[in-house]
Amino acid sequence: MWSSEQLDLDTYLTRLGYAGDRAPTLETLAALQRAHVLTLRWDTLDPFLYREVRIDVPSVQDKLVRRGRGGYCYEHTVLFAAALEALGFRFTAVSARVQLGADSGTPRPPTHAMLIVDLDGGRWLVDIGFGASPLAPIELVDGGRVESGPWPYLLRRQVITHGAEGWAVHQRGDGPEGPEGWTVRQVFTENPQYPVDYAVGNHFVATHERSPFVTRPYIQRLRTDRHDTLDALVWTTERPGGEPVTETVPPHEVPKLLDDVFDIRVDPEEAALLVTRLTELDAARNPAT
């Protein structure tokens, strides 16, 4: 179903630096998730520049594995699903509604892709496409929690939208929201999703005028001790327990920043187009007075 026959599994695992056991176990799953999140990059450059993103396995593998570019949840999840299928894992794809910054009375569309993996009678949520993703699977039980990585995550079983029961992924917040400083990041049900469902959701986030991905680039890189983001021209670095450090980057410096800080490589033609589009965006946001 997830086109694993089109995946070059050895090349993918080599790119991750993974040389461990390939048996479909929880230990293998956790090691692959950690390697994927820390190695492969996250960006929304293609929606911003081209309003087109392909999520077939050959295209995603070429972009994320061979060319050193980043992608967002659909690309990461399709690639990871193909790898898990090739290794013999059993899983269900699901979609989540991102809650951060959302009006609770007006649900966002379910456009965040994740997997639920079945192992030894248990089920584990695998979210490798959020950018600042958990570095390990989260057991799908009320109160499931993972502490690996710079920030913890918590799962709660609860009523989510319009009376539907499902799950909420909580992340540690700095404010009073949620229990003990936790805030809801995304909510989801266990309704199975298929490649055609992801194709529909991907078309929306890559092309629709209301998608934030087409209005400005958003780049992320998670490391074990920090999280860097570039939101249009605003570069922010966060470290656990510390205050965020933010600065504004001129458009012409963005390609070098992508290479130096985010380990994302763009070719000269793409770099020139990015600088042009960012300059236009900056001018539209800050018209001369």
Side-chain angles (χ1 to χ4, degrees):
M1 179 181 297
W2 294 95
S3 303
S4 56
E5 74 283 355
Q6 299 179 18
L7 175 71
D8 185 340
L9 182 63
D10 289 337
T11 297
Y12 169 72
L13 296 178
T14 298
R15 175 74 173 90
L16 298 189
Y18 181 79
D21 190 6
R22 298 191 181 189
T25 64
L26 180 58
E27 291 73 20
T28 300
L29 179 66
L32 288 174
Q33 178 168 343
R34 183 180 182 88
H36 184 111
V37 172
L38 293 176
T39 304
L40 300 185
R41 301 295 171 241
W42 199 101
D43 74 50
T44 65
L45 291 175
D46 282 359
F48 177 65
L49 295 178
Y50 311 115
R51 289 202 173 188
E52 180 183 17
V53 175
R54 298 183 62 88
I55 60 170
D56 58 282
V57 169
S59 296
V60 173
Q61 181 173 241
D62 178 66
K63 181 180 174 184
L64 271 65
V65 177
R66 293 197 173 97
R67 291 198 283 123
R69 272 284 311 281
Y72 52 75
C73 66
Y74 287 116
E75 297 166 277
H76 282 276
T77 302
V78 164
L79 181 63
F80 203 69
L84 293 189
E85 186 176 72
L87 293 168
F89 284 92
R90 295 176 57 248
F91 58 88
T92 302
V94 296
S95 290
R97 302 177 191 272
V98 176
Q99 296 293 96
L100 295 176
D103 176 1
S104 59
T106 307
R108 287 174 174 168
T111 54
H112 179 59
M114 304 184 298
L115 303 173
I116 298 175
V117 180
D118 297 285
L119 282 169
D120 302 326
R123 307 189 81 200
W124 300 82
L125 179 68
V126 174
D127 181 8
I128 44 80
F130 207 96
S133 293
L135 295 183
I138 310 174
E139 188 174 7
L140 197 69
V141 296
D142 189 26
R145 186 165 169 168
V146 63
E147 299 282 351
S148 63
W151 290 278
Y153 297 91
L154 172 70
L155 262 180
R156 286 295 192 192
R157 182 78 174 170
Q158 63 187 65
V159 174
I160 48 175
T161 55
H162 299 293
E165 188 172 275
W167 299 89
V169 178
H170 292 71
Q171 67 182 33
R172 179 70 76 184
D174 296 326
E177 306 92 339
E180 301 175 357
W182 296 93
T183 186
V184 176
R185 183 162 84 161
Q186 72 250 41
V187 297
F188 66 97
T189 68
E190 297 174 46
N191 183 40
Q193 300 290 286
Y194 303 98
V196 66
D197 299 310
Y198 280 178
V200 172
N202 176 67
H203 179 71
F204 174 83
V205 298
T207 67
H208 198 279
E209 61 184 13
R210 290 184 58 189
S211 169
F213 290 178
V214 306
T215 59
R216 88 277 195 249
Y218 190 65
I219 323 294
Q220 298 187 73
R221 182 181 181 183
L222 180 70
R223 285 173 262 199
T224 56
D225 63 344
R226 64 188 277 185
H227 177 222
D228 287 279
T229 62
L230 181 67
D231 187 346
L233 297 171
V234 179
W235 171 28
T236 301
T237 300
E238 298 177 273
R239 299 179 187 273
E243 291 294 323
V245 177
T246 299
E247 65 177 274
T248 300
V249 183
H252 69 275
E253 293 184 6
V254 167
K256 186 175 187 303
L257 180 71
L258 293 182
D259 192 12
D260 292 347
V261 173
F262 293 91
D263 192 29
I264 290 174
R265 294 179 292 280
V266 292
D267 61 38
E269 182 178 347
E270 195 167 54
L273 177 59
L274 178 60
V275 170
T276 298
R277 291 292 311 280
L278 284 171
T279 301
E280 294 169 348
L281 178 63
D282 188 43
R285 289 183 171 183
N286 302 285
T289 57

